[in-house]
Amino acid sequence: MATQVLEGTWEEIAKQAENLVGKKLRVTVLEDEQAQKPNEGMLEALRKISERHKNMPESPGEETLKMIREARSGGMFGNESDK
């Protein structure tokens, strides 16, 4: 049988006792997790991006595939033949 991971409070895991009879177990007691702080740096970067894009016109959806193909073929960097 593949390794099975159970995580929860003791009470939640104890409810699984019937399914665990005779199985070899390893129990790790975890420290209480503190509420994770939001990644303020990333949130600030996202805010700046959102602010920059606020008044930008949206490109029509039909053009998206054309733009992707152009970019993949080097269009965004300029081709030597363009010079």
Side-chain angles (χ1 to χ4, degrees):
M1 180 178 173
T3 300
Q4 182 181 7
V5 177
L6 299 174
E7 188 170 330
T9 63
W10 177 252
E11 293 78 10
E12 293 166 337
I13 292 178
K15 290 178 184 177
Q16 302 294 319
E18 211 174 272
N19 302 325
L20 302 171
V21 171
K23 299 196 187 236
K24 184 175 179 179
L25 305 174
R26 175 182 296 154
V27 177
T28 304
V29 178
L30 304 171
E31 295 292 324
D32 286 337
E33 294 180 20
Q34 295 179 5
Q36 293 212 350
K37 296 179 184 176
N39 183 338
E40 291 298 332
M42 182 56 74
L43 287 173
E44 183 58 29
L46 291 170
R47 285 184 195 109
K48 287 179 182 179
I49 291 169
S50 176
E51 188 62 32
R52 284 186 199 145
H53 289 147
K54 189 183 279 185
N55 296 317
M56 291 182 89
E58 291 185 26
S59 58
E62 309 85 52
E63 295 291 310
T64 303
L65 189 54
K66 180 182 170 192
M67 290 189 310
I68 290 171
R69 286 185 176 143
E70 236 176 69
R72 286 182 178 165
S73 66
M76 33 187 298
F77 303 109
N79 294 327
E80 290 297 316
S81 61
D82 294 340
K83 294 182 181 178

